[in-house]
Amino acid sequence: MTTPEHLEATRKELKEPEEIQDLEDIKLHLAFARERNDKSTTPEDIEEDANAYFKQIHAEPKLGSFQVIKNMADEVVATGYLQSTSCLGDFDKKFGAGGAYVRDQAVHSKFTGQNLGKKITDARLEKAKELGFDCLYSDILNTNLASLVPKFKDGFKAIKIEEYQPGRACFLMKKEVNPVKNEQKTKGRQEKIPLSDLDQIADLLENDKWEGTGIKNISGIKHDPNPESWVVIMEKIK
């Protein structure tokens, strides 16, 4: 596979998502994802994380899976990692075992607008089913509307605010891998809380009877990047 900065392909003719396991491919995956999402990551960080992930998935396949979408030139245009929450310190103690984290997701800028983010998430969802996970988790900054809105639309629900700071917070989101249709929760009262009102959202999420189930634009401006132009739909579960 070639590096993302050398991409010269058109927006057409993409392959189906596939799993990668080779160490050099994993390094490329991380370089691509971190380049798009975390400019502070160093080559040394990528080398260290890639080696750790490589050892994890080869020691125990259920601990993780790397999914990528390539074009016909074998260049990566979208990528994402699925990692067992058992690898994340005390995460299982706080939220329950049996989950997997979707992380390090990125779509090349030349290939946006083709629903590849959802496609790479769906690939990880299918892998999670295969590996026997119960649910998927993701964390997204309140200011990252380009990721937050699609996650809500894809069925993820906000269950907690992590790393809270004034005006800035990270939503912890959850999606059931195999929801039982006949055992749906009964929905109660619904509140629409401004995305900018993080205090109220955090207070409701601290009560396990509330969860964020959607997000709505109230400005009428398509792709409005301003958090004050959005409300989070909070629902109380009976």
Side-chain angles (χ1 to χ4, degrees), residues 2-12 71 73 75-77 108 110-111:
T2 57
T3 55
E5 58 265 27
H6 296 141
L7 271 176
E8 297 179 355
T10 67
R11 295 165 62 89
K12 301 178 181 179
N71 60 19
E75 299 162 323
V76 174
V77 301
H108 195 279
K110 289 185 179 181
F111 292 81

Coordinates of all heavy atoms in Angstrom, one line a residue, residues 2-12 71 73 75-77 108 110-111:
T2 N 0.4 2.3 -0.7 CA 1.2 3.5 -0.7 C 0.7 4.5 0.3 O -0.4 4.3 0.8 CB 1.1 4.1 -2.1 OG1 -0.2 4.4 -2.5 CG2 1.8 3.2 -3.2
T3 N 1.5 5.5 0.6 CA 1.1 6.5 1.6 C 0.0 7.4 1.1 O 0.0 7.7 -0.1 CB 2.3 7.3 2.1 OG1 2.9 7.9 0.9 CG2 3.3 6.4 2.7
P4 N -0.9 7.9 2.0 CA -2.0 8.8 1.6 C -1.6 10.0 0.8 O -2.3 10.4 -0.1 CB -2.6 9.1 2.9 CG -2.2 8.0 3.9 CD -0.9 7.6 3.4
E5 N -0.4 10.6 1.1 CA -0.1 11.9 0.5 C 0.2 11.7 -1.0 O 0.3 12.6 -1.8 CB 1.1 12.5 1.2 CG 2.3 11.7 1.3 CD 2.4 11.0 2.6 OE1 1.4 10.7 3.2 OE2 3.5 10.7 3.0
H6 N 0.4 10.4 -1.4 CA 0.7 10.1 -2.8 C -0.5 9.8 -3.6 O -0.4 9.4 -4.8 CB 1.7 9.0 -3.0 CG 3.1 9.4 -2.4 ND1 3.8 8.5 -1.7 CD2 3.7 10.5 -2.4 CE1 5.0 9.1 -1.3 NE2 4.9 10.3 -1.7
L7 N -1.7 9.9 -3.0 CA -2.9 9.5 -3.7 C -3.2 10.4 -4.9 O -3.1 11.6 -4.9 CB -4.1 9.7 -2.8 CG -4.5 8.5 -1.9 CD1 -5.7 8.9 -1.0 CD2 -4.9 7.3 -2.8
E8 N -3.4 9.7 -6.1 CA -3.7 10.5 -7.3 C -4.9 9.9 -8.0 O -5.3 10.3 -9.1 CB -2.5 10.4 -8.3 CG -1.3 11.1 -7.7 CD -0.1 11.0 -8.6 OE1 -0.2 10.4 -9.7 OE2 1.0 11.6 -8.4
A9 N -5.6 8.9 -7.3 CA -6.7 8.2 -8.0 C -7.9 9.1 -8.0 O -8.0 10.1 -7.3 CB -7.0 7.0 -7.2
T10 N -8.9 8.7 -8.8 CA -10.2 9.4 -8.9 C -11.1 9.0 -7.7 O -10.7 8.1 -6.9 CB -10.9 9.1 -10.2 OG1 -11.2 7.7 -10.2 CG2 -10.0 9.4 -11.4
R11 N -12.3 9.5 -7.7 CA -13.2 9.2 -6.6 C -14.0 7.9 -6.9 O -14.9 7.5 -6.2 CB -14.2 10.3 -6.4 CG -13.6 11.6 -5.9 CD -14.5 12.8 -6.1 NE -15.8 12.6 -5.4 CZ -15.9 13.0 -4.1 NH1 -14.9 13.6 -3.5 NH2 -17.1 12.9 -3.5
K12 N -13.6 7.2 -8.0 CA -14.4 6.0 -8.4 C -13.6 4.7 -8.1 O -12.5 4.7 -7.7 CB -14.7 6.1 -9.9 CG -15.5 7.3 -10.3 CD -15.7 7.4 -11.8 CE -16.4 8.6 -12.3 NZ -16.6 8.7 -13.7
N71 N -8.6 2.0 -2.9 CA -9.0 2.1 -4.3 C -8.3 1.0 -5.1 O -7.6 0.2 -4.6 CB -8.6 3.5 -4.9 CG -7.1 3.8 -4.8 OD1 -6.3 2.9 -4.7 ND2 -6.8 5.1 -4.8
A73 N -5.9 1.2 -7.0 CA -4.4 1.3 -7.0 C -3.8 0.8 -5.7 O -2.6 1.0 -5.4 CB -4.0 2.7 -7.3
E75 N -4.4 1.9 -2.7 CA -4.1 3.0 -1.8 C -5.3 3.1 -0.8 O -6.4 3.0 -1.2 CB -4.0 4.3 -2.6 CG -2.9 4.3 -3.6 CD -3.1 5.4 -4.7 OE1 -4.2 5.7 -5.1 OE2 -2.0 6.0 -5.1
V76 N -4.9 3.4 0.5 CA -5.9 3.5 1.5 C -6.7 4.8 1.4 O -6.0 5.9 1.3 CB -5.3 3.4 2.9 CG1 -6.3 3.6 4.0 CG2 -4.7 2.0 3.1
V77 N -8.0 4.7 1.4 CA -8.8 6.0 1.3 C -9.7 6.1 2.5 O -10.2 7.2 2.8 CB -9.7 6.0 0.0 CG1 -8.8 6.0 -1.2 CG2 -10.7 4.9 0.0
H108 N -9.9 9.9 3.6 CA -9.0 10.8 2.8 C -9.9 11.9 2.3 O -11.0 11.8 1.8 CB -8.4 10.1 1.7 CG -7.2 10.8 1.1 ND1 -7.4 11.8 0.2 CD2 -5.9 10.7 1.3 CE1 -6.2 12.3 -0.2 NE2 -5.3 11.7 0.5
K110 N -9.8 13.6 -0.4 CA -10.3 13.4 -1.8 C -11.5 12.5 -2.0 O -12.1 12.5 -3.1 CB -9.1 12.9 -2.7 CG -8.0 13.9 -2.9 CD -7.0 13.3 -3.8 CE -5.8 14.3 -4.1 NZ -4.8 13.7 -5.1
F111 N -11.9 11.8 -0.9 CA -12.9 10.8 -1.0 C -14.1 11.1 0.0 O -14.9 10.2 0.3 CB -12.4 9.4 -0.8 CG -11.4 9.0 -1.9 CD1 -10.1 9.4 -1.9 CD2 -11.9 8.2 -2.9 CE1 -9.3 9.0 -2.9 CE2 -11.0 7.8 -3.9 CZ -9.7 8.2 -3.9

